[in-house]
Amino acid sequence: MKKIMIWVLLVMGFSIPAYAQHKECSHGDKQCAMSKASCDKSSDCDSKSGCPITGKVLKKAAFFIDNAGEIGLSEDQIKQIKAIQHDAKKDGLRGAAEMQIFEMDMMAKLSEDKVDVEGLNAMIDGASKGMSDGAKKSIATYVTLKAILTPEQMSKAKAIWKKKS
């Protein structure tokens, strides 16, 4: 029983950022309350996933789009970046919803008179696999996003980032 409670607390602890309220920055932009990212105009916190990798994908995509002219992005590159951004937001929302459903199911099983330890363990294993699969997909998305820019464009983007930081 202790093992199950530890897992429940662990899972709930990781999911808290998924439901964190957005806070207003001094210039009116929004930032996730649990985010460690700096609050700047290129931050994009529309993902409710709580996944730091997804947050990085969204922030970098927003930065690229906001600075497309200075970086020298083509219309095709902008379309690709916006598509990645759109998919990452959807994946983040989907992941947050799945986590919320998992928590509801977990609490329901824990409320039963006779706790089904094997069933709970299977649920935890499934949720853990889902989280690792999601993280791996987010990393692949991040790599794809960075590959859209040419090395010259990436150099310009880095210079702009340093200048704005």
Side-chain angles (χ1 to χ4, degrees):
M1 189 65 175
K2 281 185 179 180
K3 184 178 178 183
I4 292 172
M5 289 308 295
I6 290 171
W7 270 102
V8 169
L9 292 173
L10 183 67
V11 167
M12 290 185 77
F14 280 120
S15 65
I16 288 172
Y19 311 110
Q21 294 291 326
H22 286 85
K23 67 179 181 180
E24 291 290 329
C25 299
S26 60
H27 57 273
D29 285 354
K30 292 184 177 183
Q31 175 186 0
C32 290
M34 300 299 287
S35 174
K36 291 183 171 108
S38 63
C39 181
D40 61 22
K41 295 218 180 255
S42 67
S43 66
D44 189 338
C45 194
D46 289 340
S47 171
K48 308 262 191 290
S49 72
C51 175
I53 305 164
T54 301
K56 189 165 180 77
V57 169
L58 293 172
K59 186 172 183 172
K60 190 163 291 277
F63 174 78
F64 289 161
I65 291 168
D66 290 346
N67 297 284
E70 291 178 73
I71 296 171
L73 298 179
S74 68
E75 287 300 315
D76 185 52
Q77 287 174 310
I78 293 170
K79 284 180 186 177
Q80 290 175 1
I81 292 169
K82 285 184 178 182
I84 287 173
Q85 190 177 40
H86 179 77
D87 289 343
K89 286 178 184 180
K90 285 185 354 184
D91 288 344
L93 291 171
R94 212 174 271 119
E98 288 172 7
M99 179 58 72
Q100 196 171 15
I101 291 167
F102 166 75
E103 289 175 8
M104 290 172 58
D105 291 345
M106 174 77 67
M107 292 304 155
K109 281 196 172 283
L110 288 171
S111 298
E112 294 174 358
D113 291 336
K114 186 175 179 190
V115 177
D116 177 15
V117 176
E118 293 302 317
L120 285 166
N121 285 340
M123 283 178 60
I124 291 167
D125 291 342
S128 296
K129 174 139 177 45
M131 284 189 282
S132 69
D133 290 347
K136 290 174 184 177
K137 182 178 179 186
S138 293
I139 289 171
T141 300
Y142 184 73
V143 169
T144 302
L145 174 66
K146 288 182 72 173
I148 292 173
L149 275 66
T150 65
E152 296 80 25
Q153 290 171 327
M154 188 58 78
S155 294
K156 288 178 187 177
K158 286 179 181 181
I160 293 166
W161 181 262
K162 283 181 184 179
K163 187 171 69 173
K164 291 187 177 189
S165 300

